[in-house]
Structure formats: structure tokens, C-alpha cells
Amino acid sequence: MREEKTLKIRANHLIMPGTQIQEHGGNEKALVFNCADFADEEMRPELFCVRFASAERAQEFKRAYEEGGETNAPLLKPTKDGDDGEDGEDKVAADDVADGLAKATIRDEDS
């Protein structure tokens, strides 16, 4: 996500399943959520507040963000792997995530 006027990258994160998006202080046009962000090229936990022109646009964003989390859920699903000496402990399958990200597309809103 880029800032509207400066085009500076402000949000660069993986959309995780189960991320809670809430109205900011009862304002229907503003949403807040937490995530691990990489906008400055290193991971930092961030709290984002996004303000929209209308409550409808805010709800469209919230629906799309939640759908993105649902889409990513199978890619982040823990798998059993006994080859690492960790007694079959659950862990994320990095290859599955990389394959899913390779298939991802970026859609320009103007298109």
C-alpha cells in the first residue's frame, strides 16, 4: 500500500488469516489492524489505521482483506515433517508459501 500523495510504501505485509480489522473509535470510514510489516525492508509489528472516503469503501476493503486472509490460509497451514529431528512438530511449509506467492498477482485499481 502506498501513501496517496508521496507514493511512499507504507504497508508491505502478508495478509494473515484471522487478522482482526475494526472500526477506529466508532468511525465507519476508518479501520485499524495489526500486522508484521516490511515497508522499511525489515520486519516490524505495526498498527495501521486506514481512512476511506466512505463507509462503503471501508467495508469493501475489509471484505477484500478478510478474503485475502482466507485465500492465504492453506498456504500457511502447518505440516508434519519428521525429517528435522523435531519429533514431527508443526511448522509452516515454506515451499508451499513460496509457490503461492509466485502465483499471486497485483491488480491495479485503475485497470
Side-chain angles (χ1 to χ4, degrees):
M1 184 180 311
R2 293 184 181 265
E3 187 173 302
E4 187 174 343
K5 294 180 182 176
T6 65
L7 299 182
K8 181 177 180 189
I9 295 176
R10 292 293 183 189
N12 180 17
H13 61 278
L14 180 63
I15 299 175
M16 300 295 290
T19 300
Q20 297 293 316
I21 301 177
Q22 302 172 344
E23 287 182 5
H24 183 296
N27 183 347
E28 296 178 329
K29 297 180 186 180
L31 301 172
V32 293
F33 59 96
N34 287 301
C35 64
D37 187 53
F38 294 88
D40 293 327
E41 298 184 14
E42 60 182 58
M43 187 185 80
R44 284 193 322 202
E46 293 284 351
L47 173 65
F48 285 100
C49 179
V50 185
R51 190 176 61 206
F52 296 89
S54 68
E56 292 79 23
R57 294 288 286 187
Q59 290 306 308
E60 286 176 28
F61 175 86
K62 182 177 180 181
R63 270 192 302 279
Y65 198 96
E66 290 170 346
E67 286 173 12
E70 292 172 14
T71 299
N72 288 343
L75 301 173
L76 302 170
K77 181 179 163 189
T79 62
K80 297 279 187 181
D81 183 5
D83 294 336
D84 60 3
E86 294 183 12
D87 300 322
E89 186 176 307
D90 286 341
K91 62 182 175 180
V92 175
D95 289 340
D96 291 344
V97 173
D99 290 344
L101 290 173
K103 295 174 188 173
T105 59
I106 298 173
R107 190 177 68 200
D108 188 352
E109 195 171 310
D110 294 334
S111 300

